[in-house]
Amino acid sequence: MEFTRRTFIAGMGTALAAPAILKSTSVRAQDAVTLRLHHFLPPAANVHQHLLMPWAKALDEQSGGKLKVEIFPAMQLGGKPPQLYDQAVNGVVDIVWTLPGSTPGRFPATEVFELPFIAAQKGAVNAPACEEYSQAHVAPGVTDTKLLCFWAHDSGLIHTNTEIKTKEDLAGLKLRNPTRLAGEALAALGATSVGMPTPQIPEALAQRAIDGCVVPWEVVPSLKIDELTSYHLEIPGTPTLYTATFFLAMNTARYEGLAPELREILDRNSGLAFAKAAGDMWDRIGAEVRAKVEASGKNKVTAISEEEKARWVEATAPVRDTWVTDMKAKGLDGEALIKAAQDAIQKYTKA
């Protein structure tokens, strides 16, 4: 119940109190609605257990059972992870949790947080910063779905079976990347970047098709990455090497067809409130996973030095420069988007 009773209430203040009670009578007068939510991670994943399920429970409780969300993990309703967003567009499902980076180039304004050494170390900073940035720079351009939230996780790590101390140690290593820009950053550091959906990582590691992967702590247990790799490299401080961003997107007609009282409950539990709960979850679960991995005695958690980090920042700078040029070709001011993202990150770093 972390999401509904602790994290989520803290994120929304008094919004969960009287309004839900005052509207209960009118909500009961509406027909019950069940929304189908589709995502790609297994049911044991922390996102499923500690974010999406508590969110669905909050909607159910606050609506008096009139707004339910049935969650289908692991692509149970068919298709592949890159097809999730269009499943929401076309009404195959009602809501999806997906990565905009799964369809490279489709949502260019989202990519700013995925650039090397832009995002913060903490999810509690990245997630609300993304959502605030989205209101001006992402949501207005997303016209084919109702964007319920745009957020990012905490800092990602490099998980390998070879200890990495300098960027030279990355040379030739085949590393799975989570996004196009993370892949370009890894390539700039000397690694061989391999793109693949998250569910394919365990098999690729087991078959040695890749030498490692880049993911946050939170997802490690559900993919058994701690069993398939021995070294876990952290990037110290803010800014960090990379983060990945996410969409919680809903079919537009389904959203607009909700009774006003139910739509208000959905809105109240989405946006910044959802982002804050997501960021807190990533940080909390990440710390727990890190402690368990370190305590196992089988794995080694390391970090590059600040001096080495400076070398990585310099080596990946061309990725950012190229992105700014690419954005100009798309009619977007890349430098302005970077500043807007950095301003939002600074705001929530101080919060």
Side-chain angles (χ1 to χ4, degrees):
M1 297 296 293
E2 297 90 352
F3 191 91
T4 55
R5 291 291 181 262
R6 185 166 64 247
T7 305
F8 214 41
I9 289 176
M12 293 189 293
T14 59
L16 300 187
I21 298 172
L22 293 173
K23 291 182 178 293
S24 62
T25 301
S26 57
V27 169
R28 289 193 192 98
Q30 308 300 323
D31 292 333
V33 173
T34 298
L35 304 173
R36 299 196 305 169
L37 191 162
H38 202 200
H39 71 82
F40 58 87
L41 284 178
N46 287 306
V47 168
H48 180 88
Q49 293 288 334
H50 298 287
L51 183 62
L52 298 178
M53 287 183 65
W55 180 69
K57 187 172 181 63
L59 297 177
D60 186 15
E61 290 180 347
Q62 294 173 38
S63 66
K66 296 298 183 180
L67 183 58
K68 296 181 179 294
V69 177
E70 188 175 4
I71 306 174
F72 296 86
M75 302 303 298
Q76 290 178 353
L77 298 180
K80 299 180 179 179
Q83 298 171 328
L84 277 168
Y85 184 80
D86 281 325
Q87 289 184 355
V89 173
N90 298 324
V92 175
V93 299
D94 300 309
I95 304 173
V96 296
W97 172 62
T98 188
L99 287 79
S102 292
T103 51
R106 186 169 182 175
F107 306 101
T110 66
E111 294 181 339
V112 61
F113 286 91
E114 298 171 359
L115 287 167
F117 298 104
I118 292 292
Q121 186 179 42
K122 295 292 186 181
V125 174
N126 289 331
C130 279
E131 174 60 22
E132 180 162 313
Y133 165 93
S134 171
Q135 296 308 307
H137 303 291
V138 177
V142 178
T143 57
D144 49 4
T145 64
K146 168 61 178 179
L147 189 57
L148 299 178
C149 190
F150 170 63
W151 77 100
H153 62 65
D154 57 341
S155 59
L157 296 84
I158 302 177
H159 309 268
T160 61
N161 282 306
T162 302
E163 186 170 7
I164 298 167
K165 296 181 179 180
T166 69
K167 73 182 189 69
E168 284 75 21
D169 295 329
L170 291 167
L173 290 181
K174 292 180 290 184
L175 300 178
R176 176 266 179 183
N177 71 70
T179 65
R180 176 180 70 87
L181 291 169
E184 292 182 12
L186 290 171
L189 292 167
T192 298
S193 178
V194 180
M196 68 174 60
T198 303
Q200 295 178 13
I201 293 175
E203 183 178 0
L205 285 171
Q207 295 183 352
R208 299 186 179 181
I210 55 176
D211 299 307
C213 60
V214 182
V215 297
W217 278 120
E218 169 273 326
V219 78
V220 165
S222 62
L223 299 179
K224 301 186 185 301
I225 291 172
D226 53 327
E227 299 176 20
L228 294 165
T229 62
S230 300
Y231 295 94
H232 312 274
L233 181 71
E234 297 179 325
I235 313 302
T238 295
T240 192
L241 174 62
Y242 99 99
T243 190
T245 61
F246 305 101
F247 275 172
L248 190 68
M250 184 172 180
N251 176 266
T252 302
R254 191 69 160 135
Y255 173 81
E256 293 177 348
L258 290 175
E261 293 83 0
L262 299 183
R263 193 161 59 242
E264 189 275 333
I265 291 171
L266 179 62
D267 289 344
R268 179 163 18 104
N269 286 274
S270 302
L272 192 58
F274 186 95
K276 287 181 176 180
D280 290 345
M281 186 280 293
W282 252 279
D283 289 341
R284 176 173 53 83
I285 298 296
E288 292 174 2
V289 172
R290 184 189 189 282
K292 289 179 181 177
V293 169
E294 199 165 31
S296 72
K298 301 176 182 178
N299 301 62
K300 186 175 181 180
V301 179
T302 63
I304 57 173
S305 67
E306 288 291 347
E307 292 75 18
E308 182 62 21
K309 178 181 173 179
R311 296 181 67 218
W312 290 35
V313 172
E314 182 180 4
T316 58
V319 175
R320 168 176 162 169
D321 296 340
T322 299
W323 183 82
V324 169
T325 300
D326 290 344
M327 291 304 100
K328 185 175 182 180
K330 295 177 183 290
L332 297 174
D333 187 341
E335 289 289 0
L337 293 178
I338 289 173
K339 184 179 187 306
Q342 290 174 328
D343 287 348
I345 288 170
Q346 184 176 25
K347 172 182 175 178
Y348 286 98
T349 298
K350 294 178 178 179

